[in-house]
Amino acid sequence: MIHASADVQTSAIGDGTRIWQFCVVLPGAAIGRDCNICSHCFIENDVVVGDRVTIKSGVQLWDGLRVEDDVFIGPNATFTNDKVPKSKRYPAAFLTTEIEAGASIGANATVLPGIRIGRNAMVGAGAVVTRSVPPNAIVVGNPARIVGYVDALSNGTSPPPRAQGGAEAASEDPLLYKLPLVTDMRGSLSVGEFGRSVPFDAKRYFVVFDVPTSEVRGEHAHRVCHQFLICVRGQVNVVADDGVRRREVVLDRPDIGFYMPPMTWGTQYKYSPDAVLLVFASHYYDADDYIRDYGEFLSLAGRAA
């Protein structure tokens, strides 16, 4: 359905798509099936829109934009394609901005050019997105920062469980391990034994510290390597994603470990300024063991990408 007041110059429109009042679509644009393009939208030539995309009123999609399936774009969301625009002066090629499948962009958000909004990510209303957003991340503010992960928090609002629950917290999550803790007037000691309290034999360790609180670490999975995380000082949020279920915990004590089995997409963020994260790994470093693309991870994990 194309409204009589719309100026639609492309024939590359899928079945079931609706284009409403006062929209302009230039001849080079490609629009998929079952989309809903609300009134007063503009779509330029070098734009590809996937299937089942909702574009609310007052949105302009400029050259270089790629929108995958099942994306929601809220009213008056703003996209850009030139970092240094000048009147009557055009770049040789406009930057490509990618909005991956299932992502949602809130009303009045601004997205800078040349970045990627990851699969199922959520951009809050009014956010200014200056850097690429990881899959499933929830970002808000100016500049946009990660405040959570989709489905890792209850309704996106309740805080994740904290390791400071001790044995009780560990018993509620199969990935949390309670390590022995000895405390007396001389101080405290926590100990782990590989193959016993730590569920594998380690061949490598690394320590993460001095991380700015706005930064995100991880954002990858391993094919065969096991990892075991202990926050020996401060606190850090850890997200584990097996492709179906996403869980999040705050590590904030040295006698609780978080186990990351192979084929788990791991993320660490919200580091406190004093955080020190100790990680044991079952294998020596191997660049080929890393999976850094979330779509590839879902495919290898046997989940629909």
Side-chain angles (χ1 to χ4, degrees):
M1 189 283 294
I2 299 176
H3 195 275
S5 67
D7 178 10
V8 178
Q9 303 169 29
T10 181
S11 59
I13 301 176
D15 294 340
T17 286
R18 297 174 293 174
I19 302 177
W20 292 95
Q21 297 95 326
F22 308 112
C23 290
V24 176
V25 184
L26 297 188
I31 302 173
R33 303 177 60 183
D34 298 316
C35 296
N36 189 35
I37 301 173
C38 297
S39 63
H40 296 89
C41 288
F42 177 82
I43 301 178
E44 211 167 14
N45 281 295
D46 183 22
V47 175
V48 178
V49 176
D51 299 335
R52 299 173 302 279
V53 172
T54 296
I55 303 174
K56 303 301 285 185
S57 299
V59 173
Q60 297 85 42
L61 305 184
W62 306 108
D63 285 341
L65 192 62
R66 304 290 182 263
V67 181
E68 295 185 0
D69 298 343
D70 303 300
V71 167
F72 174 87
I73 301 176
N76 300 303
T78 298
F79 297 92
T80 57
N81 63 1
D82 189 347
K83 289 185 177 180
V84 287
K86 299 287 186 180
S87 180
K88 304 296 184 180
R89 292 169 57 184
Y90 307 103
F94 288 105
L95 294 171
T96 298
T97 299
E98 300 176 74
I99 315 299
E100 294 188 346
S104 293
I105 299 175
N108 293 302
T110 298
V111 179
L112 268 60
I115 66 176
R116 175 180 296 183
I117 308 298
R119 181 182 301 270
N120 298 321
M122 298 194 71
V123 176
V128 178
V129 184
T130 61
R131 297 189 297 176
S132 293
V133 177
N136 306 303
I138 302 169
V139 301
V140 301
N142 179 8
R145 66 191 187 283
I146 297 174
V147 296
Y149 281 79
V150 176
D151 297 332
L153 308 180
S154 301
N155 300 320
T157 57
S158 299
R162 303 177 71 87
Q164 66 180 3
E168 295 77 13
S171 66
E172 294 172 0
D173 191 323
L175 299 183
L176 279 175
Y177 281 69
K178 179 70 172 70
L179 302 172
L181 176 65
V182 179
T183 301
D184 62 25
M185 63 185 302
R186 300 168 297 174
S188 300
L189 180 148
S190 180
V191 61
E193 295 182 309
F194 297 112
R196 293 182 176 179
S197 49
V198 177
F200 56 83
D201 290 327
K203 291 186 177 179
R204 177 170 59 102
Y205 80 88
F206 56 91
V207 180
V208 181
F209 57 96
D210 289 344
V211 178
T213 57
S214 62
E215 296 302 317
V216 176
R217 304 280 306 187
E219 288 294 342
H220 60 258
H222 288 277
R223 301 173 191 273
V224 298
C225 185
H226 302 249
Q227 292 189 324
F228 194 80
L229 287 64
I230 304 171
C231 189
V232 297
R233 184 177 181 183
Q235 71 176 51
V236 60
N237 286 41
V238 177
V239 180
D241 179 351
D242 64 6
V244 174
R245 182 167 175 246
R246 198 168 301 112
R247 67 193 73 179
E248 180 171 356
V249 64
V250 179
L251 293 181
D252 58 0
R253 55 184 290 170
D255 61 327
I256 295 290
F258 193 84
Y259 172 48
M260 288 275 194
M263 295 306 299
T264 300
W265 188 267
T267 303
Q268 305 90 48
Y269 75 116
K270 289 186 178 178
Y271 284 80
S272 64
D274 61 340
V276 177
L277 182 67
L278 173 64
V279 181
F280 294 108
S282 63
H283 290 66
Y284 298 122
Y285 175 79
D286 179 2
D288 292 335
D289 188 53
Y290 286 74
I291 305 169
R292 299 188 183 276
D293 180 83
Y294 189 71
E296 180 187 3
F297 162 71
L298 291 178
S299 178
L300 291 172
R303 312 303 179 190

